[in-house]
Amino acid sequence: MSPRAKKKPSGIVTFVGAGPGDPRLLTLRAIEVLAEADVVVADEATLRQVLFHCKSGVEVLDPVTGDDGELLSAVARAKVVVAAARSGRQVVRAVAGDPCVDQSVIDEVTAVAKAKIVFEVVPGVPVSTAVPTYAGIPLHPTKGSGGVRVLDMAEGTIDWATVGSVEGTLVLRGALDSIAEIAQELVAGGRKPATPVAVTINGTTTEQRTLVSTLAQVASDVRAAKITLPAVVVVGEVVAQRDTLSWFETKPLFGWKVLVPRTKEQAVTLSEQLRSYGAVPHEVPTIAVEPPRTPQQMERAIKGLVTGRYEWIAFTSVNAVRAVRERFEDYGLDARAFAGIKVAAVGEATARALVEFGVKPDLVPSGEQSAAGLLEDWPPYDPVFDPIDRVFLPRADIATETLVAGLVELGWEVDDVTAYRTVRAAPPPAETREAIKGGGFDAVLFTSSSTVRNLVGIAGKPHAVTVIACIGSATAKTAEEHGLRVDVLAPEPSVSALAEALAEFGTARRAAMIEAGDPVTRPSERRPGSRRKAK
């Protein structure tokens, strides 16, 4: 009698609430299970929120439509999930909002349970509470009673007149097809025609928009605004508090598409700062890094570093750290080779790259993060306390002589070594080039003269409506030479100060529009036909 083949164990299905739209609103548990998932089952909109947290190579399945393009039922969707789990894999079924709020998702969970598949449900931030919060609208009324009631506008069995007879806040979700009839029924039930109404689309994202109206006017206002997307509608006196409590849509750069001419790795801190102001950063590299044409100079310098030739090594960029680290890996070295050597970093980003390498810098400028700032804090050579008078300076082939000259003046000998070459990057995709030239970006941040020249060279000149922000006077001069009017100049030459200066510009611009009684628009929403000329 032949032994029985062992049955392959089923995997686990985890239903994950992906929240209302902002990927940062996922729970810690949701991020954990997404990182372990072999298969993610999600519609296109939800997938965008969760895919960032998944491992590379994760399989993606669409549970929404069948081969004929028809929407699948809850049971049919569950079959997709069950089939994936029975192959022994970890399956995540990601849904918008909170899984236990949507009856169709509950039906999926029930079907998976009946199939005897092990499952877990991870709650998510509900759309019905998160979107009003991001719109600056608290749900509980300050006066009266009635509490909060959440309803689906597509539910055909709701007696809206009866709903209108009860006090309190109404939160309505879904398509706006029947908003006119619902508003009329609410008024017929007893709600005042002047009852405030807020309609929010794309909630919790930088594309969020909120229309404030009344029950009497909401249908015509929605038509006039050409709102066709599903929305979250809040009905009640609480909407009036939006004037005071709106915090998201009033951020200084809310919804601005900001071009950052750097790689994603270089722009991490800057992009995060821009996001904190409500902006949507778009990184476009303007330079590419290549090895030096002759590697012998770097080879000698690395050997000298190991044999004790240097007292200091100074890193002036993240690319310099990467170049030295790659050389170390070629030779089988690690951070221990820096033992006994003082290490300097030109700024915080370079310092972070060193820490990731396992090296804690001894010197980071306390003021300006530049070669000049580094020289301000650099100690002069002292033959009594410094046994070696030499500094290893791995840099780009186009680096300026400011740091070398300053170190020599302080009494140090400098080995200025080409660690990498900088060349103009390849042009960005066609849609990015069109957005740059056609006014699709609200602002561009120029962090050096070379970024101006290279961006114009690979993508063309930014449109007249685009706000031009420059890190310093030299960069601003280069921008003006290319026919651009500089709108923002950083008060000090740092990327953090540059982003902050742009935010202050956005705040002043918004205030001026409000004072003039104009609608608040982004620069890209006003596109004249001619490009800006330097004056």
Side-chain angles (χ1 to χ4, degrees):
M1 190 173 176
S2 61
R4 291 183 179 178
K6 290 184 178 179
K7 185 179 179 181
K8 188 174 183 179
S10 293
I12 298 174
V13 175
T14 306
F15 288 84
V16 167
D22 185 346
R24 295 171 296 180
L25 292 180
L26 270 71
T27 65
L28 292 175
R29 179 57 183 156
I31 293 172
E32 288 175 356
V33 296
L34 284 166
E36 298 169 359
D38 301 309
V39 181
V40 173
V41 185
D43 60 38
E44 184 179 354
T46 306
L47 185 62
R48 288 197 297 267
Q49 296 167 233
V50 302
L51 200 55
F52 175 80
H53 301 291
C54 298
K55 60 188 176 185
S56 60
V58 65
E59 183 179 354
V60 175
L61 299 177
D62 182 358
V64 177
T65 55
D67 295 335
D68 57 359
E70 293 295 320
L71 293 177
L72 297 178
S73 66
V75 174
R77 295 197 300 269
K79 287 180 178 179
V80 175
V81 174
V82 169
R86 281 187 171 151
S87 65
R89 294 178 292 175
Q90 305 290 318
V91 181
V92 169
R93 171 68 171 107
V95 299
D98 187 332
C100 290
V101 172
D102 191 328
Q103 183 58 50
S104 67
V105 177
I106 296 172
D107 292 341
E108 279 188 58
V109 178
T110 302
V112 170
K114 288 180 178 179
K116 306 299 182 183
I117 300 293
V118 177
F119 70 91
E120 177 185 350
V121 180
V122 178
V125 177
V127 173
S128 56
T129 57
V131 173
T133 298
Y134 269 58
I137 302 171
L139 296 183
H140 281 280
T142 56
K143 299 177 182 178
S145 59
V148 180
R149 190 171 181 183
V150 180
L151 298 169
D152 190 333
M153 286 185 282
E155 179 59 58
T157 60
I158 297 175
D159 183 346
W160 292 104
T162 301
V163 171
S165 66
V166 180
E167 293 183 4
T169 302
L170 297 178
V171 181
L172 314 179
R173 301 179 305 161
L176 296 168
D177 301 344
S178 55
I179 190 64
E181 293 79 5
I182 291 173
Q184 290 174 359
E185 289 295 316
L186 292 175
V187 171
R191 292 291 178 116
K192 296 178 181 179
T195 301
V197 177
V199 179
T200 302
I201 58 173
N202 296 318
T204 76
T205 74
T206 50
E207 296 178 350
Q208 176 176 307
R209 296 292 180 271
T210 300
L211 179 149
V212 176
S213 183
T214 64
L215 281 177
Q217 292 292 326
V218 65
S220 58
D221 287 346
V222 165
R223 284 195 302 272
K226 298 180 180 179
I227 297 176
T228 58
L229 296 173
V232 174
V233 180
V234 179
V235 180
E237 298 302 326
V238 293
V239 173
Q241 297 187 59
R242 173 175 158 80
D243 291 340
T244 303
L245 301 181
S246 180
W247 62 273
F248 186 54
E249 293 174 52
T250 55
K251 286 190 172 188
L253 301 176
F254 180 75
W256 283 38
K257 294 179 181 178
V258 179
L259 182 66
V260 181
R262 289 183 161 198
T263 64
K264 285 186 180 295
E265 294 79 12
Q266 291 176 314
V268 170
T269 302
L270 175 57
S271 293
E272 279 303 311
Q273 185 177 358
L274 289 169
R275 288 189 187 96
S276 74
Y277 299 136
V280 184
H282 185 94
E283 298 90 355
V284 173
T286 59
I287 63 169
V289 175
E290 295 183 357
R293 288 192 173 88
T294 54
Q296 292 81 3
Q297 190 182 24
M298 266 292 281
E299 291 173 359
R300 288 194 298 269
I302 295 296
K303 182 178 179 181
L305 189 149
V306 174
T307 57
R309 174 178 171 81
Y310 302 108
E311 180 76 9
W312 282 89
I313 179 171
F315 292 96
T316 58
S317 70
V318 172
N319 286 328
V321 177
R322 185 179 295 115
V324 171
R325 186 170 183 172
E326 289 173 354
R327 282 294 178 183
F328 270 38
E329 291 170 353
D330 291 341
Y331 300 141
L333 301 172
D334 57 28
R336 289 174 292 184
F338 287 98
I341 300 173
K342 298 185 183 74
V343 180
V346 75
E348 294 175 3
T350 305
R352 279 194 299 273
L354 283 167
V355 171
E356 291 173 3
F357 187 17
V359 180
K360 183 178 180 181
D362 301 280
L363 175 62
V364 180
S366 56
E368 178 183 315
Q369 296 188 0
S370 64
L374 194 58
L375 287 170
E376 284 288 330
D377 293 345
W378 197 289
Y381 170 67
D382 189 327
V384 176
F385 295 103
D386 297 314
I388 304 170
D389 66 351
R390 192 167 294 273
V391 178
F392 173 23
L393 185 57
R395 301 197 297 168
D397 57 331
I398 59 171
T400 63
E401 299 301 315
T402 302
L403 185 55
V404 174
L407 290 173
V408 170
E409 188 174 339
L410 289 170
W412 296 94
E413 295 288 334
V414 181
D415 281 358
D416 186 8
V417 177
T418 298
Y420 60 94
R421 293 184 300 120
T422 55
V423 297
R424 182 174 288 180
E431 61 262 26
T432 301
R433 298 198 302 272
E434 284 304 310
I436 291 171
K437 293 182 289 186
F441 286 101
D442 298 289
V444 57
L445 299 184
F446 286 121
T447 55
S448 67
S449 291
S450 63
T451 59
V452 178
R453 290 189 290 267
N454 289 341
L455 182 70
V456 172
I458 66 176
K461 185 161 60 174
H463 192 277
V465 299
T466 306
V467 174
I468 304 298
C470 295
I471 200 168
S473 56
T475 304
K477 181 180 179 182
T478 303
E480 290 168 350
E481 289 171 353
H482 283 77
L484 301 173
R485 186 187 69 218
V486 177
D487 303 289
V488 179
L489 187 65
E492 58 185 65
S494 74
V495 292
S496 177
L498 178 59
E500 186 175 352
L502 180 62
E504 291 174 354
F505 176 90
T507 299
R509 182 178 180 276
R510 177 186 177 85
M513 288 180 173
I514 293 173
E515 185 176 354
D518 297 329
V520 177
T521 59
R522 301 191 308 276
S524 62
E525 293 174 316
R526 304 174 68 182
R527 304 185 188 183
S530 60
R531 292 190 179 181
R532 179 187 310 145
K533 300 291 184 181
K535 294 181 178 180

